[in-house]
Amino acid sequence: MSIRVMLVDDQVLLRTGFRMVLAAQPDMEVVAEAGDGAEAIENLRSTAVDVVLMDVRMPRLDGVEATRRICAEPDAPKVLILTTFDLDEYAFSGLKAGASGFMLKDVPPGELLAAIRSVHSGDAVVAPSTTRRLLDRFSPLLPSSGKEPRHKEIEKLTEREREVMLLVAQGLSNGEIAARLVLSEATVKTHVGRILTKLGLRDRVQVVVLAYETGLVRAGGAG
């Protein structure tokens, strides 16, 4: 079954380019396009979508707010934020809003396709270390409200799960965590899955965001 993709960008030329790349793939199909966030939300009411490629700076409704509204819905599609080097704050806001990751608009076609497949399979598409650098830069902008309830949620974790969460938030891959804790990679993957379930998170990106939000990991990567 093809991965159903919606392209959301106010630049028609960019949408055309992305559509041409995706159309050449046997496992992907562009089922909808939108020029802004409001149109994207409207499209989702009548079209089944698996992955949304979401621009951030658009008229009427920007990509961050559109992502927030989309991800708040049950059975929401995965959202992949498209950004540029000088707009990292938008990528950060998009991750906070529930996006499964972010990519640069000038990403090579092969990387874009791999990212869409990864997001569709439930993985985050940004390397944890990349996410950490982004959060290091913008963690001072995190709101202070709501810290206590989130800390209470983390108390649901076992000591080992909390240890794994901290390492995920510091940018380590499953393999690196396994080596650090002398565990099998499969065991680490199981722990990560349990962390996501207990905390009601969608992917590793949200684990990193929560770790910073609660102060479990501080800017600079220290726990």
Side-chain angles (χ1 to χ4, degrees):
M1 184 175 177
S2 295
I3 301 172
R4 299 165 296 190
V5 179
M6 176 163 65
L7 306 176
V8 186
D9 197 300
D10 61 338
Q11 298 185 47
V12 177
L13 209 55
L14 275 175
R15 295 205 310 267
T16 301
F18 285 139
R19 184 174 66 248
M20 290 175 63
V21 171
L22 270 59
Q25 303 304 304
D27 62 337
M28 295 184 191
E29 178 186 6
V30 176
V31 295
E33 295 185 33
D36 58 59
E39 186 180 357
I41 291 172
E42 184 66 30
N43 285 344
L44 288 174
R45 292 176 182 153
S46 58
T47 306
V49 175
D50 299 311
V51 177
V52 178
L53 292 186
M54 181 74 76
D55 186 23
V56 284
R57 302 184 78 182
M58 296 180 291
R60 286 212 297 170
L61 188 66
D62 66 41
V64 173
E65 180 58 29
T67 296
R68 182 175 294 109
R69 297 185 191 182
I70 289 170
C71 292
E73 295 295 321
D75 301 319
K78 301 298 177 65
V79 177
L80 179 57
I81 293 287
L82 298 174
T83 185
T84 58
F85 279 117
D86 59 341
L87 292 176
D88 279 349
E89 63 270 24
Y90 290 104
F92 172 77
S93 298
L95 296 178
K96 287 282 293 174
S100 294
F102 68 94
M103 300 196 75
L104 300 176
K105 279 193 173 183
D106 59 356
V107 61
E111 291 184 22
L112 174 66
L113 297 171
I116 292 171
R117 293 184 181 103
S118 293
V119 163
H120 182 249
S121 69
D123 292 332
V125 300
V126 290
S129 57
T130 304
T131 306
R132 175 162 58 85
R133 287 196 297 273
L134 183 69
L135 289 170
D136 283 347
R137 181 177 171 188
F138 294 103
S139 57
L141 304 180
L142 286 166
S144 59
S145 61
K147 285 190 176 182
E148 277 307 308
R150 301 312 304 241
H151 272 302
K152 291 297 182 183
E153 288 181 24
I154 291 172
E155 290 175 6
K156 301 174 184 176
L157 304 180
T158 65
E159 184 177 348
R160 176 63 86 186
E161 288 165 353
R162 181 186 171 102
E163 195 172 10
V164 169
M165 178 179 178
L166 287 171
L167 294 176
V168 168
Q170 289 174 35
L172 275 67
S173 67
N174 284 355
E176 291 168 335
I177 294 172
R180 178 79 64 89
L181 300 181
V182 195
L183 298 170
S184 71
E185 195 165 340
T187 298
V188 172
K189 186 174 181 180
T190 297
H191 283 312
V192 172
R194 288 174 179 165
I195 291 167
L196 296 178
T197 299
K198 287 184 178 182
L199 300 181
L201 304 176
R202 293 179 63 171
D203 51 41
R204 295 172 74 99
V205 170
Q206 292 194 347
V207 171
V208 179
V209 170
L210 178 58
Y212 274 76
E213 188 176 42
T214 58
L216 290 178
V217 174
R218 297 182 295 277

